[in-house]
Amino acid sequence: GLANRFAYDRYVKYIGNQLRQAPRTLAVEVIDIDYFKQYNDNYGHQAGDKCLESVAREIHSLVTSAENIFACRYGGDEFVLLLPGVDAGTALDILRRLQRVVVERTLVYNSGEMNLSFSAGVTVAEPGASLEATLHRADDALYESKLAGRNRVCAWNGQRHQLADPVHEKIV
């Protein structure tokens, strides 16, 4: 499964030391499941857990198929991915691929069906910036993607937010 917040805190210390010794890029992605509270309210907490497990499974699959990506459940319905050595364009591509996989899934729970989507924010650590500040910028980008209508990815490029179109298509 995915790491938890405690593992995130340990990894941030580790990667912070690594980046000080050998500077390179670090992309930070924050993912938030769209309308998660409504899943819980409409289908119950067990269905909400299924929703979290489904997204976590797709993130875990991505992490195990790629090198050097750290992913965790950050809290509630938020997930964080840290991608050392990855530029903004590649990080955005990774999120878009993940988003397409999540959107194509239909979860069946009892007699109901749930279609999932998520909103996400991504940024790349600026030289000398703390990981906390970088996470905050990625979280701001996530907020922008929510304001723009959800089911979107927003990248912070150091000067402004860049929104990607929402994903609606199913993969065939």
Side-chain angles (χ1 to χ4, degrees):
L2 289 183
N4 60 20
R5 179 71 181 268
F6 178 72
Y8 168 85
D9 291 338
R10 279 195 327 240
Y11 185 78
V12 163
K13 288 179 186 172
Y14 164 79
I15 197 65
N17 288 334
Q18 293 290 315
L19 293 174
R20 279 188 288 284
Q21 292 172 10
R24 58 188 166 150
T25 60
L26 176 69
V28 176
E29 302 176 340
V30 180
I31 296 171
D32 186 83
I33 300 171
D34 292 331
Y35 306 108
F36 181 72
K37 183 178 177 343
Q38 290 178 346
Y39 290 121
N40 274 339
D41 291 348
N42 293 333
Y43 299 105
H45 290 285
Q46 289 177 330
D49 289 347
K50 253 187 109 98
C51 174
L52 289 170
E53 289 169 7
S54 176
V55 174
R57 190 172 31 257
E58 296 303 339
I59 293 170
H60 185 263
S61 175
L62 170 75
V63 170
T64 55
S65 69
E67 208 174 294
N68 270 347
I69 298 177
F70 174 86
C72 73
R73 181 171 171 205
Y74 192 70
D77 62 327
E78 272 194 354
F79 299 88
V80 171
L81 286 76
L82 303 176
L83 303 94
V86 173
D87 64 27
T90 302
L92 187 60
D93 289 344
I94 288 168
L95 271 177
R96 298 291 288 163
R97 281 196 316 268
L98 178 63
Q99 196 174 38
R100 282 188 183 89
V101 170
V102 168
V103 165
E104 88 167 340
R105 301 288 186 253
T106 299
L107 295 181
V108 177
Y109 186 76
N110 291 338
S111 60
E113 290 186 350
M114 297 183 288
N115 292 305
L116 305 177
S117 67
F118 67 77
S119 298
V122 60
T123 192
V124 174
E126 296 172 358
S130 71
L131 291 179
E132 184 178 327
T134 304
L135 178 65
H136 183 72
R137 282 196 314 278
D139 200 50
D140 285 347
L142 164 65
Y143 183 70
E144 289 294 321
S145 70
K146 294 273 188 189
L147 286 177
R150 301 179 196 255
N151 190 25
R152 293 177 183 263
V153 174
C154 181
W156 172 252
N157 67 9
Q159 297 172 357
R160 63 183 177 86
H161 291 102
Q162 237 177 323
L163 278 169
D165 291 331
V167 173
H168 296 294
E169 69 272 11
K170 302 268 186 186
I171 298 173
V172 286

mmCIF file of all heavy atoms in Angstrom, residues 5-29:
data_model
loop_
_atom_site.group_PDB
_atom_site.id
_atom_site.type_symbol
_atom_site.label_atom_id
_atom_site.label_comp_id
_atom_site.label_asym_id
_atom_site.label_seq_id
_atom_site.Cartn_x
_atom_site.Cartn_y
_atom_site.Cartn_z
ATOM 1 N N ARG A 5 1.379 9.545 6.558
ATOM 2 C CA ARG A 5 1.933 10.864 6.852
ATOM 3 C C ARG A 5 3.245 10.775 7.641
ATOM 4 O O ARG A 5 4.166 11.557 7.428
ATOM 5 C CB ARG A 5 0.880 11.672 7.630
ATOM 6 C CG ARG A 5 1.303 13.062 8.031
ATOM 7 C CD ARG A 5 1.368 13.979 6.799
ATOM 8 N NE ARG A 5 1.792 15.293 7.164
ATOM 9 C CZ ARG A 5 0.986 16.301 7.478
ATOM 10 N NH1 ARG A 5 -0.314 16.123 7.456
ATOM 11 N NH2 ARG A 5 1.466 17.466 7.781
ATOM 12 N N PHE A 6 3.340 9.805 8.533
ATOM 13 C CA PHE A 6 4.569 9.614 9.305
ATOM 14 C C PHE A 6 5.735 9.292 8.365
ATOM 15 O O PHE A 6 6.826 9.853 8.487
ATOM 16 C CB PHE A 6 4.368 8.507 10.340
ATOM 17 C CG PHE A 6 5.590 8.211 11.153
ATOM 18 C CD1 PHE A 6 6.038 9.094 12.115
ATOM 19 C CD2 PHE A 6 6.299 7.031 10.951
ATOM 20 C CE1 PHE A 6 7.177 8.826 12.863
ATOM 21 C CE2 PHE A 6 7.431 6.746 11.688
ATOM 22 C CZ PHE A 6 7.874 7.648 12.649
ATOM 23 N N ALA A 7 5.505 8.391 7.409
ATOM 24 C CA ALA A 7 6.539 8.038 6.442
ATOM 25 C C ALA A 7 6.888 9.243 5.570
ATOM 26 O O ALA A 7 8.046 9.439 5.188
ATOM 27 C CB ALA A 7 6.084 6.864 5.581
ATOM 28 N N TYR A 8 5.877 10.062 5.250
ATOM 29 C CA TYR A 8 6.118 11.285 4.482
ATOM 30 C C TYR A 8 7.102 12.188 5.224
ATOM 31 O O TYR A 8 8.065 12.689 4.631
ATOM 32 C CB TYR A 8 4.806 12.032 4.230
ATOM 33 C CG TYR A 8 4.999 13.432 3.693
ATOM 34 C CD1 TYR A 8 5.173 13.654 2.337
ATOM 35 C CD2 TYR A 8 5.013 14.529 4.548
ATOM 36 C CE1 TYR A 8 5.367 14.940 1.838
ATOM 37 C CE2 TYR A 8 5.208 15.816 4.050
ATOM 38 C CZ TYR A 8 5.382 16.012 2.711
ATOM 39 O OH TYR A 8 5.579 17.279 2.236
ATOM 40 N N ASP A 9 6.856 12.414 6.509
ATOM 41 C CA ASP A 9 7.737 13.279 7.296
ATOM 42 C C ASP A 9 9.172 12.762 7.294
ATOM 43 O O ASP A 9 10.124 13.541 7.163
ATOM 44 C CB ASP A 9 7.211 13.410 8.732
ATOM 45 C CG ASP A 9 5.913 14.200 8.811
ATOM 46 O OD1 ASP A 9 5.614 14.984 7.880
ATOM 47 O OD2 ASP A 9 5.183 14.017 9.806
ATOM 48 N N ARG A 10 9.336 11.444 7.402
ATOM 49 C CA ARG A 10 10.687 10.848 7.357
ATOM 50 C C ARG A 10 11.311 11.035 5.984
ATOM 51 O O ARG A 10 12.482 11.374 5.856
ATOM 52 C CB ARG A 10 10.626 9.357 7.697
ATOM 53 C CG ARG A 10 10.568 9.049 9.164
ATOM 54 C CD ARG A 10 10.867 7.581 9.439
ATOM 55 N NE ARG A 10 10.402 6.724 8.368
ATOM 56 C CZ ARG A 10 9.514 5.752 8.508
ATOM 57 N NH1 ARG A 10 8.995 5.507 9.665
ATOM 58 N NH2 ARG A 10 9.160 5.020 7.480
ATOM 59 N N TYR A 11 10.521 10.812 4.927
ATOM 60 C CA TYR A 11 11.046 10.917 3.573
ATOM 61 C C TYR A 11 11.444 12.355 3.250
ATOM 62 O O TYR A 11 12.461 12.578 2.581
ATOM 63 C CB TYR A 11 10.030 10.400 2.547
ATOM 64 C CG TYR A 11 10.586 10.395 1.147
ATOM 65 C CD1 TYR A 11 11.450 9.393 0.730
ATOM 66 C CD2 TYR A 11 10.263 11.410 0.244
ATOM 67 C CE1 TYR A 11 11.981 9.395 -0.549
ATOM 68 C CE2 TYR A 11 10.784 11.407 -1.040
ATOM 69 C CZ TYR A 11 11.649 10.404 -1.432
ATOM 70 O OH TYR A 11 12.176 10.417 -2.698
ATOM 71 N N VAL A 12 10.669 13.317 3.713
ATOM 72 C CA VAL A 12 10.995 14.722 3.465
ATOM 73 C C VAL A 12 12.363 15.069 4.057
ATOM 74 O O VAL A 12 13.157 15.772 3.422
ATOM 75 C CB VAL A 12 9.875 15.645 4.011
ATOM 76 C CG1 VAL A 12 10.345 17.078 4.143
ATOM 77 C CG2 VAL A 12 8.662 15.573 3.102
ATOM 78 N N LYS A 13 12.653 14.563 5.239
ATOM 79 C CA LYS A 13 13.990 14.805 5.834
ATOM 80 C C LYS A 13 15.067 14.158 4.974
ATOM 81 O O LYS A 13 16.104 14.767 4.690
ATOM 82 C CB LYS A 13 14.041 14.250 7.247
ATOM 83 C CG LYS A 13 13.247 15.051 8.237
ATOM 84 C CD LYS A 13 13.303 14.439 9.619
ATOM 85 C CE LYS A 13 12.374 15.210 10.547
ATOM 86 N NZ LYS A 13 12.224 14.566 11.845
ATOM 87 N N TYR A 14 14.815 12.919 4.559
ATOM 88 C CA TYR A 14 15.778 12.187 3.738
ATOM 89 C C TYR A 14 16.022 12.904 2.409
ATOM 90 O O TYR A 14 17.164 13.162 2.035
ATOM 91 C CB TYR A 14 15.269 10.762 3.494
ATOM 92 C CG TYR A 14 15.977 10.058 2.376
ATOM 93 C CD1 TYR A 14 17.240 9.502 2.568
ATOM 94 C CD2 TYR A 14 15.391 9.939 1.115
ATOM 95 C CE1 TYR A 14 17.903 8.862 1.532
ATOM 96 C CE2 TYR A 14 16.043 9.304 0.072
ATOM 97 C CZ TYR A 14 17.295 8.769 0.285
ATOM 98 O OH TYR A 14 17.953 8.145 -0.745
ATOM 99 N N ILE A 15 14.949 13.220 1.689
ATOM 100 C CA ILE A 15 15.113 13.822 0.360
ATOM 101 C C ILE A 15 15.674 15.236 0.481
ATOM 102 O O ILE A 15 16.437 15.686 -0.372
ATOM 103 C CB ILE A 15 13.806 13.781 -0.474
ATOM 104 C CG1 ILE A 15 14.106 14.017 -1.970
ATOM 105 C CG2 ILE A 15 12.783 14.791 0.007
ATOM 106 C CD1 ILE A 15 14.925 12.946 -2.621
ATOM 107 N N GLY A 16 15.335 15.946 1.556
ATOM 108 C CA GLY A 16 15.912 17.268 1.790
ATOM 109 C C GLY A 16 17.426 17.195 1.893
ATOM 110 O O GLY A 16 18.142 18.009 1.298
ATOM 111 N N ASN A 17 17.917 16.202 2.633
ATOM 112 C CA ASN A 17 19.367 16.004 2.739
ATOM 113 C C ASN A 17 19.967 15.630 1.392
ATOM 114 O O ASN A 17 21.035 16.123 1.026
ATOM 115 C CB ASN A 17 19.684 14.908 3.771
ATOM 116 C CG ASN A 17 19.440 15.377 5.189
ATOM 117 O OD1 ASN A 17 19.500 16.569 5.487
ATOM 118 N ND2 ASN A 17 19.130 14.434 6.064
ATOM 119 N N GLN A 18 19.291 14.765 0.647
ATOM 120 C CA GLN A 18 19.773 14.365 -0.672
ATOM 121 C C GLN A 18 19.883 15.568 -1.615
ATOM 122 O O GLN A 18 20.859 15.698 -2.342
ATOM 123 C CB GLN A 18 18.833 13.316 -1.284
ATOM 124 C CG GLN A 18 18.821 12.002 -0.568
ATOM 125 C CD GLN A 18 20.118 11.250 -0.767
ATOM 126 O OE1 GLN A 18 20.633 11.161 -1.878
ATOM 127 N NE2 GLN A 18 20.658 10.720 0.308
ATOM 128 N N LEU A 19 18.877 16.422 -1.581
ATOM 129 C CA LEU A 19 18.876 17.582 -2.476
ATOM 130 C C LEU A 19 19.939 18.604 -2.097
ATOM 131 O O LEU A 19 20.466 19.301 -2.966
ATOM 132 C CB LEU A 19 17.496 18.232 -2.505
ATOM 133 C CG LEU A 19 16.388 17.391 -3.143
ATOM 134 C CD1 LEU A 19 15.036 18.071 -2.972
ATOM 135 C CD2 LEU A 19 16.680 17.123 -4.611
ATOM 136 N N ARG A 20 20.252 18.707 -0.817
ATOM 137 C CA ARG A 20 21.333 19.611 -0.398
ATOM 138 C C ARG A 20 22.688 19.095 -0.869
ATOM 139 O O ARG A 20 23.555 19.860 -1.259
ATOM 140 C CB ARG A 20 21.327 19.799 1.118
ATOM 141 C CG ARG A 20 20.302 20.826 1.584
ATOM 142 C CD ARG A 20 20.427 21.146 3.072
ATOM 143 N NE ARG A 20 19.984 20.066 3.927
ATOM 144 C CZ ARG A 20 18.707 19.748 4.168
ATOM 145 N NH1 ARG A 20 17.745 20.440 3.609
ATOM 146 N NH2 ARG A 20 18.394 18.752 4.967
ATOM 147 N N GLN A 21 22.867 17.765 -0.847
ATOM 148 C CA GLN A 21 24.139 17.170 -1.258
ATOM 149 C C GLN A 21 24.302 17.146 -2.776
ATOM 150 O O GLN A 21 25.401 17.342 -3.289
ATOM 151 C CB GLN A 21 24.248 15.745 -0.711
ATOM 152 C CG GLN A 21 24.373 15.694 0.798
ATOM 153 C CD GLN A 21 24.288 14.265 1.328
ATOM 154 O OE1 GLN A 21 24.324 13.297 0.570
ATOM 155 N NE2 GLN A 21 24.175 14.137 2.640
ATOM 156 N N ALA A 22 23.209 16.865 -3.482
ATOM 157 C CA ALA A 22 23.247 16.779 -4.942
ATOM 158 C C ALA A 22 22.000 17.467 -5.497
ATOM 159 O O ALA A 22 20.986 16.826 -5.728
ATOM 160 C CB ALA A 22 23.299 15.314 -5.384
ATOM 161 N N PRO A 23 22.080 18.795 -5.674
ATOM 162 C CA PRO A 23 20.895 19.540 -6.119
ATOM 163 C C PRO A 23 20.323 19.015 -7.438
ATOM 164 O O PRO A 23 21.059 18.703 -8.372
ATOM 165 C CB PRO A 23 21.421 20.966 -6.299
ATOM 166 C CG PRO A 23 22.631 21.039 -5.429
ATOM 167 C CD PRO A 23 23.236 19.661 -5.473
ATOM 168 N N ARG A 24 19.009 18.888 -7.469
ATOM 169 C CA ARG A 24 18.257 18.496 -8.667
ATOM 170 C C ARG A 24 16.814 18.923 -8.459
ATOM 171 O O ARG A 24 16.439 19.398 -7.390
ATOM 172 C CB ARG A 24 18.359 17.001 -8.938
ATOM 173 C CG ARG A 24 17.865 16.154 -7.779
ATOM 174 C CD ARG A 24 18.174 14.702 -8.011
ATOM 175 N NE ARG A 24 18.006 13.984 -6.768
ATOM 176 C CZ ARG A 24 17.648 12.742 -6.672
ATOM 177 N NH1 ARG A 24 17.418 12.047 -7.771
ATOM 178 N NH2 ARG A 24 17.520 12.159 -5.516
ATOM 179 N N THR A 25 16.021 18.756 -9.463
ATOM 180 C CA THR A 25 14.619 19.160 -9.348
ATOM 181 C C THR A 25 13.858 18.205 -8.420
ATOM 182 O O THR A 25 14.252 17.054 -8.238
ATOM 183 C CB THR A 25 13.929 19.162 -10.724
ATOM 184 O OG1 THR A 25 13.993 17.842 -11.262
ATOM 185 C CG2 THR A 25 14.562 20.160 -11.663
ATOM 186 N N LEU A 26 12.771 18.719 -7.885
ATOM 187 C CA LEU A 26 11.842 17.898 -7.108
ATOM 188 C C LEU A 26 10.440 18.393 -7.416
ATOM 189 O O LEU A 26 10.075 19.508 -7.049
ATOM 190 C CB LEU A 26 12.101 17.994 -5.602
ATOM 191 C CG LEU A 26 11.092 17.236 -4.730
ATOM 192 C CD1 LEU A 26 11.248 15.722 -4.907
ATOM 193 C CD2 LEU A 26 11.235 17.626 -3.273
ATOM 194 N N ALA A 27 9.684 17.567 -8.127
ATOM 195 C CA ALA A 27 8.287 17.902 -8.397
ATOM 196 C C ALA A 27 7.453 17.429 -7.215
ATOM 197 O O ALA A 27 7.704 16.368 -6.646
ATOM 198 C CB ALA A 27 7.819 17.242 -9.684
ATOM 199 N N VAL A 28 6.472 18.257 -6.847
ATOM 200 C CA VAL A 28 5.557 17.928 -5.759
ATOM 201 C C VAL A 28 4.141 17.992 -6.312
ATOM 202 O O VAL A 28 3.751 18.989 -6.920
ATOM 203 C CB VAL A 28 5.724 18.908 -4.573
ATOM 204 C CG1 VAL A 28 4.706 18.609 -3.481
ATOM 205 C CG2 VAL A 28 7.145 18.857 -4.023
ATOM 206 N N GLU A 29 3.394 16.901 -6.105
ATOM 207 C CA GLU A 29 2.015 16.811 -6.578
ATOM 208 C C GLU A 29 1.087 16.567 -5.394
ATOM 209 O O GLU A 29 1.383 15.742 -4.538
ATOM 210 C CB GLU A 29 1.867 15.644 -7.569
ATOM 211 C CG GLU A 29 2.780 15.769 -8.764
ATOM 212 C CD GLU A 29 2.727 14.579 -9.701
ATOM 213 O OE1 GLU A 29 2.286 13.483 -9.295
ATOM 214 O OE2 GLU A 29 3.155 14.752 -10.855
#
